[in-house]
Amino acid sequence: MTQLVTSSGHERAVAALQRSYEAIPPGVPVRLAKRTSNLFRFREPSNAPGLDVSGIDRVLSVDPERRTADVQGMTTYEDLVDATLPHGLMPSVVPQLKTITLGGAVTGLGIESSSFRAGLPHESVVELDVLTGDGRVVTATRDGEHADLFRGFPNSYGTLGYAVRLRIELAPVKPYVRLRHLPFDDAVKCAEALREISESGQYDGEPVDFVDGTVFAPTDLYITIGTFAETAPYTSDYTGQGIYYRSIQQRSVDFLTIRDYLWRWDTDWFWCSGALGVQHPLVRKVWPDQAKRSDVYRRLVALDRRWQASARLDRWRGRPPREDVIQDIEVPVERLPEFLEFFHREVGMSPVWLCPLAARESWPLYPLEPGRPYVNVGFWGTVPLPPGRIPEHHNRLIERKVTQLAGHKSLYSTAFYSREEFWRHYDGETYRRLKGAYDPGGRLLDLYEKCVRGR
Ligand SMILES: Cc1cc2nc3c(=O)[nH]c(=O)nc-3n(C[C@H](O)[C@H](O)[C@H](O)COP(=O)(O)OP(=O)(O)OC[C@H]3O[C@@H](n4cnc5c(N)ncnc54)[C@H](O)[C@@H]3O)c2cc1C
């Protein structure tokens, strides 16, 4: 069972965090000093002291009666899930990568296969304590004194302040999840089925608890629906030699324990472990199971970036430079076929992940229309840059297409908007008001500088 932190321990940790914040010299950018990250904007390593968040990475309490948990801001979902599952509960939305933290998913947006009914992780936050840019710790709730911060925190990426404690809603689980992988041969039918299943919460007369999808090719698409089960005739294991995403094409029905379901994508970082050779049978055999994790792969990718190993190898082999195309975007469900057609034609990378969602409420810095069905499309890989094209050619095309389709783009990776366009998409007016109220001295970076200029 996960070790919990006491409330006095938490108070001491918050006081230490405030001292660490005050100790960062004025003018030095504030950076989190933590071992893991799921950002895909790589920066040069810095010798400047970071904000020491090591004391705020634990669960405070789980209340099975009220179905809530009090959690420190830098707690990973892996630890959080370990604390809630013994009570038969899970956070309403559990992002797929084990080291995503609760604070990171709320400030930087997360999504998963329960998002069609539960929205995004920030929508199940009841209250949050924030260390603001001006050094205060304030409690923000939906309708309290800091309601404006509560609403503006999602998609602020730590530029208004850092979440130090969050109270979140939990949802009941059953021990197993029964999966059905439904094949489609065209995107229009697939989008229509995603919409119907998400809106009705049913498929074939049975309740649906989870929905996501995988596109292997323009005529090879799958929707995977998950339904809680008290018992299972067998359970599959994709944490060793088996590879979850391949099973989608190979079987129509499957059973996983709830824990394995929640982490089904982490073992192979969706499919991205393939780029490191981990899906080759021989490499897979010798690669330790405990190192088949997204954070291990991300560290290896960060090292590769730093030393430019793959880029040098490509040059040496006379191959064109490759462009990282790593993004999550959302489009209204009826525009999904158009986006996929564009993506197959212009980028040509597969597989692609689909996840339906509907926001429960409106959140100014990431304005999805509440109740409207959207689909998140995730793609994480590299493609060759065609000769004569400017760097980031594909990423720029994608950004423009998403705008054309009335969609939105997550900001954990690269972005290229002009300042004016960026603030049109992400509500510059509200952001400026919040920045003035919670970080008047500009101690933290500005959202545009951080997410587009990559500072
Ligand atoms: C390849 C890839 C795939 C992804 N796929 C998914 C997905 O399918 N589902 C999903 O849910 N998410 C996905 N994400 C996005 C991920 O949820 C966000 O990047 C999230 O912000 C990462 O959280 P982290 O805790 O790792 O934060 P970090 O990567 O450490 O930081 C992210 C940002 O949040 C800020 N931050 C971190 N903690 C806090 C805090 N406590 N308070 C305020 N600000 C904070 C940091 O300053 C930084 O700007 C994906 C990311 C990548 C790179």
Side-chain angles (χ1 to χ4, degrees):
M1 180 98 94
T2 309
Q3 198 72 32
L4 304 183
V5 66
T6 60
S7 26
S8 57
H10 174 65
E11 278 164 27
R12 281 196 301 276
V14 173
L17 180 73
Q18 280 181 293
R19 285 196 299 277
S20 168
Y21 189 63
E22 282 158 16
I24 299 174
V28 171
V30 179
R31 306 259 186 244
L32 297 179
K34 81 185 192 23
R35 281 179 48 246
T36 58
S37 169
N38 289 284
L39 278 183
F40 250 83
R41 290 190 294 273
F42 291 95
R43 278 189 310 250
E44 284 302 309
S46 150
N47 292 327
L51 179 63
D52 180 3
V53 292
S54 56
I56 57 159
D57 58 0
R58 308 260 285 278
V59 176
L60 279 148
S61 60
V62 176
D63 184 337
E65 300 295 314
R66 290 203 174 87
R67 289 187 182 159
T68 58
D70 270 33
V71 186
Q72 293 183 306
M74 305 290 167
T75 307
T76 63
Y77 272 91
E78 182 173 30
D79 289 344
L80 178 52
V81 163
D82 281 349
T84 63
L85 281 189
H87 299 281
L89 297 166
M90 64 177 263
S92 303
V93 182
V94 177
Q96 304 84 345
L97 313 180
K98 288 177 174 171
T99 60
I100 291 180
T101 63
L102 179 57
V106 167
T107 196
L109 301 192
I111 185 165
E112 231 290 270
S113 56
S114 56
S115 289
F116 76 97
R117 55 183 170 83
L120 302 180
H122 56 267
E123 304 200 79
S124 44
V125 173
V126 179
E127 64 178 37
L128 74 161
D129 295 345
V130 182
L131 168 65
T132 56
D134 55 10
R136 288 175 290 162
V137 175
V138 303
T139 301
T141 55
R142 261 186 184 73
D143 41 22
E145 187 191 344
H146 300 288
D148 53 349
L149 180 60
F150 186 86
R151 300 226 144 264
F153 196 75
N155 210 38
S156 65
Y157 277 91
T159 64
L160 298 173
Y162 293 104
V164 296
R165 180 196 61 95
L166 304 95
R167 180 168 300 157
I168 55 163
E169 294 165 358
L170 302 174
V173 299
K174 291 185 181 163
Y176 304 99
V177 179
R178 175 180 175 228
L179 304 182
R180 279 174 291 172
H181 304 299
L182 315 175
F184 291 84
D185 59 11
D186 98 62
V188 175
K189 287 186 219 149
C190 179
E192 185 51 27
L194 271 178
R195 194 184 57 73
E196 272 174 29
I197 297 168
S198 307
E199 283 181 354
S200 67
Q202 294 208 334
Y203 178 75
D204 223 5
E206 279 187 37
V208 168
D209 297 299
F210 304 101
V211 190
D212 65 354
T214 313
V215 182
F216 292 93
T219 55
D220 191 15
L221 309 88
Y222 290 80
I223 294 178
T224 297
I225 55 183
T227 302
F228 281 127
E230 286 293 354
T231 57
Y234 60 87
T235 52
S236 295
D237 179 3
Y238 300 110
T239 61
Q241 296 310 298
I243 299 176
Y244 172 70
Y245 84 91
R246 297 226 179 112
S247 75
I248 293 170
Q249 288 172 302
Q250 289 159 356
R251 43 198 317 165
S252 53
V253 177
D254 207 350
F255 286 86
L256 291 174
T257 64
I258 174 65
R259 191 174 192 283
D260 281 355
Y261 177 77
L262 295 177
W263 302 132
R264 69 201 182 287
W265 291 119
D266 188 80
T267 311
D268 282 286
W269 209 12
F270 288 85
W271 28 81
C272 304
S273 66
L276 298 158
V278 181
Q279 292 171 28
H280 186 284
L282 292 178
V283 178
R284 200 166 182 84
K285 269 214 166 65
V286 295
W287 195 287
D289 285 354
Q290 63 274 20
K292 293 189 182 111
R293 293 173 53 99
S294 60
D295 54 332
V296 172
Y297 309 134
R298 191 191 177 283
R299 275 201 292 275
L300 292 173
V301 168
L303 278 178
D304 179 53
R305 296 296 153 90
R306 199 149 148 210
W307 301 112
Q308 292 282 303
S310 309
R312 282 173 215 250
L313 196 62
D314 279 342
R315 272 200 301 277
W316 181 71
R317 287 170 164 168
R319 291 186 179 163
R322 299 185 73 82
E323 176 185 350
D324 292 341
V325 184
I326 296 169
Q327 303 284 351
D328 273 65
I329 61 99
E330 272 99 40
V331 287
V333 64
E334 67 279 9
R335 313 301 293 270
L336 176 67
E338 200 181 326
F339 181 79
L340 288 178
E341 189 274 323
F342 150 85
F343 189 83
H344 293 310
R345 177 170 31 86
E346 298 292 343
V347 185
M349 190 166 86
S350 65
V352 168
W353 186 61
L354 305 178
C355 186
L357 73 142
R360 292 180 184 174
E361 300 170 47
S362 79
W363 304 89
L365 302 195
Y366 205 74
L368 298 169
E369 241 178 81
R372 183 174 187 179
Y374 289 85
V375 179
N376 174 283
V377 187
F379 30 91
W380 315 286
T382 66
V383 291
L385 190 62
R389 293 294 186 184
I390 53 168
E392 307 288 357
H393 163 73
H394 298 94
N395 281 291
R396 289 170 199 269
L397 281 182
I398 291 165
E399 196 170 277
R400 282 203 292 277
K401 190 69 186 176
V402 170
T403 300
Q404 223 181 67
L405 298 179
H408 298 273
K409 175 170 142 171
S410 304
L411 296 175
Y412 69 76
S413 186
T414 47
F416 306 92
Y417 300 112
S418 69
R419 209 175 278 276
E420 294 67 33
E421 194 185 1
F422 180 84
W423 288 124
R424 263 203 312 280
H425 289 304
Y426 302 101
D427 194 350
E429 205 183 312
T430 300
Y431 182 77
R432 271 188 293 281
R433 220 178 32 246
L434 288 168
K435 195 75 174 158
Y438 294 100
D439 185 27
R443 194 72 193 76
L444 302 170
L445 280 173
D446 159 272
L447 187 64
Y448 181 80
E449 294 297 321
K450 188 168 192 176
C451 298
V452 181
R453 310 270 316 269
R455 298 246 245 112

